[in-house]
Amino acid sequence: MNEPTVMSIETSCDETAVAILRGEQLLASEVASQIAIHQATGGVVPEVASRNHLRTIKPVVWRALEDAGLSISQIDAFAATSGPGLASSLMIGTSAAKGFSVALRKPYLAINHMEGHLLSPFFGKPGGVRPSVALVVSGGHTLLVEINQFGSYRLLGQTHDDAAGEAFDKVGKLLGLPYPGGPNVNRLAAQGNPARVDFPRSMLDSGDLHFSFSGLKTSVRYLLPKLGAMSLADVCASFQEAVVEILVTKTLRAARATGHRVVAVSGGVSCNTRLRELLASSCRERGLELLLAEPSLCTDNAAMIGYVAALKFAAGHRSPLAADIDPNLRLVASS
Ligand code: KG4
Ligand code: ZN
């Protein structure tokens, strides 16, 4: 029997993305970014994002079909991100997927955006989803999760306040860099001295696996009037070093605590070159296997949603068309 072909749609925030997978093989992955639109306001305005999803969704679906060399009638199931995310944005993707499901009498699958990020480091790798410790660092979340197997996760730690990506974005804004702050702070940091400012490493010695980044952001704010001759690149490098050191230390602690030898890292912030570099050297030193999603799978995309959908579809999962969006959908309940 032919492997099922699944179309996945991702519109949880400001990327309109559509992917097509046959089994676990990626046939097409299209992402229409709204970054240029949100640069004018320095952040995402939900209504603007939603209106643009509505405008873009159809052409992006047709582009994905064209890339895959398929017609819509050849799709066996339609999946969409149902949360977490912006309500008005989630509505567009789920409505489109449900519409296709109804019109073509094909199953619908509601997918958790965070499960997409979580499993993205395993996508296309031999052995599929493996028992591991996972760090998920995105614009809205910072999570440490134990993966037992596909569908069985345990929350080990999370942020008490800002997510790592949110801290990057807020600091970028404070420093007058264009939206989104993360990649721009990363770019400037490459020319800076990471030891120039000794920013606080909040909760580094707390002994647990939780995070806090709002104090670090406040330290940057207090530094601003005293910036003087200090280069922006040095501030970016020092800030980035503090965030990266906290993320890597806690991830290694989680690996030690659980005994897992595989470390999986995902989410937009995992594009960060310094984070990738320090994770690689630290894991190598300790004999841990590091799985990083390739950069195109780190920031929001529909391929990662399609991967979860393909695994769910193969396991017999189907969602009712009445399944609603949930802007606050959790990956696992807090312990
Ligand atoms: O996973 P993602 O695309 O969207 C969410 O689900 O939130 O993550 C976006 C976040 C933003 O905060 C962005 O600034 C950050 O990822 N980001 C980075 C880098 N590239 C993206 N942060 C630091 N360094 C980067 N190179
Ligand atoms: Zn995301």
Side-chain angles (χ1 to χ4, degrees):
M1 201 187 91
N2 273 345
E3 297 240 64
T5 305
V6 176
M7 175 181 281
S8 52
I9 303 180
E10 153 64 37
T11 61
S12 66
C13 188
D14 60 341
E15 318 281 7
T16 317
V18 177
I20 300 173
L21 282 87
R22 178 165 297 141
E24 292 177 26
Q25 188 200 348
L26 187 63
L27 302 183
S29 179
E30 285 283 346
V31 182
S33 173
Q34 298 185 10
I35 283 183
I37 295 163
H38 299 297
Q39 257 165 3
T41 41
V44 177
V45 176
E47 240 185 57
V48 175
S50 164
R51 225 175 301 135
N52 276 287
H53 285 309
L54 193 57
R55 226 163 29 95
T56 320
I57 187 82
K58 231 165 97 178
V60 179
V61 164
W62 298 143
R63 255 197 339 257
L65 284 167
E66 202 177 296
D67 295 348
L70 295 172
S71 71
I72 192 97
S73 60
Q74 289 172 288
I75 303 293
D76 298 309
F78 294 89
T81 301
S82 61
L86 301 170
S88 49
S89 288
L90 292 165
M91 283 302 293
I92 308 297
T94 52
S95 301
K98 287 179 185 181
F100 287 130
S101 291
V102 171
L104 298 160
R105 298 171 199 272
K106 300 286 171 66
Y108 167 67
L109 287 138
I111 306 297
N112 184 320
H113 180 82
M114 298 315 292
E115 193 172 11
H117 277 306
L118 181 76
L119 302 188
S120 60
F122 302 95
F123 186 28
K125 308 247 172 78
V129 179
R130 290 154 61 196
S132 49
V133 145
L135 171 72
V136 188
V137 267
S138 69
H141 297 81
T142 302
L143 306 173
L144 271 168
V145 177
E146 179 176 25
I147 300 179
N148 298 310
Q149 58 180 29
F150 169 60
S152 170
Y153 316 120
R154 183 167 70 101
L155 185 66
L156 301 171
Q158 61 187 328
T159 180
H160 288 315
D161 39 58
D162 290 349
E166 192 178 355
F168 266 101
D169 293 342
K170 286 178 176 170
V171 163
K173 202 167 183 175
L174 280 174
L175 298 177
L177 303 178
Y179 168 85
N184 290 305
V185 169
N186 190 180
R187 211 165 297 129
L188 259 183
Q191 295 133 39
N193 172 9
R196 182 72 174 80
V197 190
D198 188 17
F199 283 120
R201 270 72 169 155
S202 312
M203 296 181 68
L204 196 62
D205 303 317
S206 61
D208 61 20
L209 297 171
H210 296 298
F211 302 90
S212 167
F213 292 109
S214 73
L216 181 54
K217 171 199 64 195
T218 308
S219 303
V220 176
R221 177 174 292 132
Y222 285 145
L223 184 76
L224 280 184
K226 301 180 237 158
L227 258 183
M230 198 184 297
S231 88
L232 223 51
D234 286 352
V235 179
C236 288
S238 302
F239 162 77
Q240 176 178 272
E241 198 62 19
V243 175
V244 166
E245 196 182 312
I246 295 164
L247 293 174
V248 173
T249 303
K250 298 260 172 169
T251 304
L252 296 175
R253 189 176 293 163
R256 230 178 7 254
T258 56
H260 284 295
R261 308 300 300 164
V262 179
V263 173
V265 183
S266 60
V269 180
S270 70
C271 283
N272 186 273
T273 47
R274 178 63 186 141
L275 177 61
R276 292 174 91 90
E277 183 184 88
L278 192 63
L279 278 168
S281 59
S282 309
C283 287
R284 204 180 313 118
E285 269 169 28
R286 289 160 184 78
L288 299 169
E289 185 183 350
L290 175 65
L291 296 179
L292 284 165
E294 58 176 272
S296 65
L297 288 181
C298 290
T299 46
D300 287 349
N301 66 89
M304 67 181 192
I305 303 302
Y307 180 47
V308 177
L311 295 175
K312 283 191 170 245
F313 192 79
H317 290 259
R318 306 289 183 267
S319 304
L321 283 170
D324 208 353
I325 57 154
D326 181 353
N328 301 310
L329 187 62
R330 309 287 285 262
L331 179 64
V332 263
S334 304
S335 46

